[in-house]
Amino acid sequence: MIKQLWSKYKSIIAYLFWGVVTTVVNLAVFQILSPGLHWNVEVATVLAWFASVLVAYFTNKVWVFGSHYTTVSDFVVEILRFFFYRGLTLVIDMIITYVGIQVLKFDTPLQQFIVKFIDNVVVVITNYIFSKWLIFKDNRGIEDK
């Protein structure tokens, strides 16, 4: 029974685990840059996004979706697709961060952290949907070839 559940939900469990790691990277980079070093919120958000997307790509590729692309051209297409869809969720990230911090004035370090945490939950769910059905979908039968 446990083996069946693990087999059925393995990618979701792995995605959630690596999603937490990616979220920690995003939050840590943002907290260091924005409230810590007093960098512009938007710049801190983009740099936190870039760092977390790099972590997410390689963990998703290897441990979540088991992508087996080995040619350079397949790798380039896959990583460009990954960054494209993560770019779409960056827009969501920027909107939530802007509204929460700039418009609603949740601007203390703790309030910024809460805004970014809520933001990351929305982004992680959206990224899973993109990854499962739009990015790594072409890899599912590749090991059988």
Side-chain angles (χ1 to χ4, degrees), residues 79-145:
I79 198 166
L80 288 176
R81 192 183 302 155
F82 191 84
F83 269 85
F84 171 77
Y85 285 108
R86 287 309 197 264
L88 293 180
T89 57
L90 173 62
V91 173
I92 295 169
D93 188 350
M94 297 292 289
I95 290 168
I96 294 171
T97 302
Y98 178 79
V99 169
I101 295 172
Q102 306 290 19
V103 175
L104 299 176
K105 301 295 183 198
F106 294 131
D107 52 10
T108 69
L110 178 59
Q111 290 171 330
Q112 286 187 20
F113 179 83
I114 292 168
V115 168
K116 288 299 291 179
F117 182 82
I118 292 167
D119 166 40
N120 272 271
V121 169
V122 172
V123 167
V124 164
I125 292 168
T126 306
N127 283 337
Y128 181 79
I129 293 166
F130 286 159
S131 292
K132 181 147 180 85
W133 286 291
L134 300 173
I135 299 167
F136 296 109
K137 68 176 177 65
D138 296 335
N139 292 312
R140 292 195 185 121
I142 205 163
E143 59 271 358
D144 299 331
K145 292 182 181 178

Side-chain angles (χ1 to χ4, degrees), residues 36-109:
L37 297 175
H38 306 289
W39 283 27
N40 176 281
V41 168
E42 288 79 15
V43 171
T45 297
V46 171
L47 291 175
W49 170 83
F50 187 77
S52 63
V53 169
L54 282 176
V55 170
Y57 174 71
F58 289 106
T59 58
N60 277 236
K61 178 178 180 55
V62 175
W63 292 299
V64 178
F65 298 106
S67 171
H68 297 286
Y69 282 139
T70 55
T71 68
V72 173
S73 63
D74 286 341
F75 173 77
V76 169
V77 167
E78 184 180 73
I79 198 166
L80 288 176
R81 192 183 302 155
F82 191 84
F83 269 85
F84 171 77
Y85 285 108
R86 287 309 197 264
L88 293 180
T89 57
L90 173 62
V91 173
I92 295 169
D93 188 350
M94 297 292 289
I95 290 168
I96 294 171
T97 302
Y98 178 79
V99 169
I101 295 172
Q102 306 290 19
V103 175
L104 299 176
K105 301 295 183 198
F106 294 131
D107 52 10
T108 69

